[in-house]
Each structure stands twice: as structure tokens, then as C-alpha cells.
Amino acid sequence: MSDFLPHPFWNFSLELYAGEGVSEACLDLQERRGCDVNVLLFCCWLGASGRPTLTADRLRVILKASEAWQADVVGPLRRMRRLLKDRPWPQVLPETVDAVRRRVADAELAAEHAEQLQLASLHAPPADRDRPVEKRMRAAVGNLGVYAVCLGVVPDAKDRAAVVTLMKATFPSLIEEEIARVVEGTPVPA
């Protein structure tokens, strides 16, 4: 990973994705709802860094720009990695299959990194770390809501639970009940 260009979004993503339950929540949304994990993380990063909530029009432009990369590069690498992992290859030594799978996984990670740099280049208004954490969390939740709208998804209880997991890891200083109220759309007492 040392040859990856440093970027605050990438660093944030690595830390967030390692958080409790985050990878499972992201992969669940990817499998069930067709979400791009990088876009989920991007929505969280924009909010966490104090940037304003995305508009649906702006996010659609961002999604359109990243869809080809996802479809033509990231997706095929992911499918190949899964194929190498899930399908038996009796004619090939297991160590060889594992070595190839690791190399494909490294290429997939590099492609994800490239997509993240693209996302950040398409939309990165100035950050405002002085913005109160509650407002930053609301912006992140709002970004994820805008993403759901762009995907044509009406969030269900499982989706909301995944968003709570993402917000808990993104904003560990906030209590879970407060996060859940925002995610559910009920006002938080002042």
C-alpha cells in the first residue's frame, strides 16, 4: 500500500472500514442494495469533515463519473477474487490459487483507491472541522439519504441499522440513541 497516493479520504476510509461492524454493514448494503462501498464511505467522510450535505443532482454527477470505473475495473476484479476463493480448482495447487487471489485482491484494493481519489476530485468543498459534531453527523446521514434517493431505495430497518453502525464508527463521541434518532428521522432533544 506504500505506493498509494496519500489522501485524507483514503486514510479516513481505512480507519472507518476497520471499525466494529462497518465492513459487514457496507458489504450488506452493497449486496442487498447495490451500493458502492466507496460512495458510502465518501458520504460519511464528507459529513465527518464538516462539508455540506450533497444535493441529489451533485451526487448523480459523481455517481455517473464513477460508474464506469466500478463496472469495468473494480467489479471484474471483485468477481475474479470471489471466483478464486469460492470455486474449487483441483487442477491447480491451492498455494498457487491463494497467491493469485491475493494479487487480484491487491489489484482490487488499488482500483478502490483510484476510485476514491476520483470521488474526492469530483467534490471536495472546504472542510469545516469546527462545525459541531451533531451537525456533521446529520450531514453524513443526509448524504446517505441522498444516496438512497439516487439509487431509488426506500430504506428499511436493516438499512437504517447499517447506517447507525456507520455513524457510530464515524462519530464515536456520540451516543448510539442520539445517532439512532437522527437516522430514524426523529428530532433529537436540544
Side-chain angles (χ1 to χ4, degrees):
M1 290 204 302
S2 62
D3 60 343
F4 286 173
L5 295 172
H7 193 279
F9 173 36
W10 179 249
N11 298 339
F12 169 88
S13 295
L14 291 175
E15 187 174 323
L16 181 61
Y17 199 76
E20 185 178 337
V22 172
S23 63
E24 295 84 359
C26 288
L27 294 175
D28 173 64
L29 291 169
Q30 178 181 335
E31 294 301 316
R32 284 187 320 104
R33 299 301 199 169
C35 292
D36 177 339
V37 171
N38 284 318
V39 175
L40 292 170
L41 298 170
F42 186 60
C43 289
C44 294
W45 176 68
L46 289 172
S49 58
R51 291 171 168 90
T53 305
L54 287 162
T55 65
D57 288 341
R58 184 70 196 136
L59 185 54
R60 283 186 187 101
V61 169
I62 292 166
L63 293 174
K64 185 173 172 91
S66 69
E67 283 173 354
W69 185 258
Q70 260 298 315
D72 297 340
V73 178
V74 177
L77 288 168
R78 182 179 299 123
R79 286 188 293 281
M80 179 61 66
R81 177 182 49 79
R82 288 177 178 169
L83 180 68
L84 289 165
K85 180 182 174 192
D86 298 338
R87 182 174 160 192
W89 298 94
Q91 70 279 22
V92 181
L93 289 172
E95 299 83 15
T96 303
V97 173
D98 286 344
V100 172
R101 186 184 50 76
R102 282 192 305 275
R103 286 196 174 103
V104 172
D106 288 345
E108 182 184 1
L109 186 62
E112 299 273 9
H113 179 259
E115 181 186 357
Q116 286 203 356
L117 293 178
Q118 178 191 31
L119 291 170
S121 75
L122 292 169
H123 183 76
D128 180 4
R129 286 290 190 176
D130 293 330
R131 191 172 189 199
V133 68
E134 296 83 5
K135 288 186 178 184
R136 289 188 279 138
M137 189 258 300
R138 287 179 187 279
V141 170
N143 288 335
L144 293 169
V146 169
Y147 189 27
V149 167
C150 289
L151 292 174
V153 169
V154 177
D156 62 18
K158 199 166 183 182
D159 299 329
R160 289 188 293 277
V163 171
V164 167
T165 298
L166 288 169
M167 293 303 100
K168 283 174 26 184
T170 304
F171 302 98
S173 66
L174 296 176
I175 59 172
E176 185 172 350
E177 292 78 19
E178 182 178 9
I179 292 170
R181 280 193 293 266
V182 171
V183 170
E184 292 295 329
T186 46
V188 177

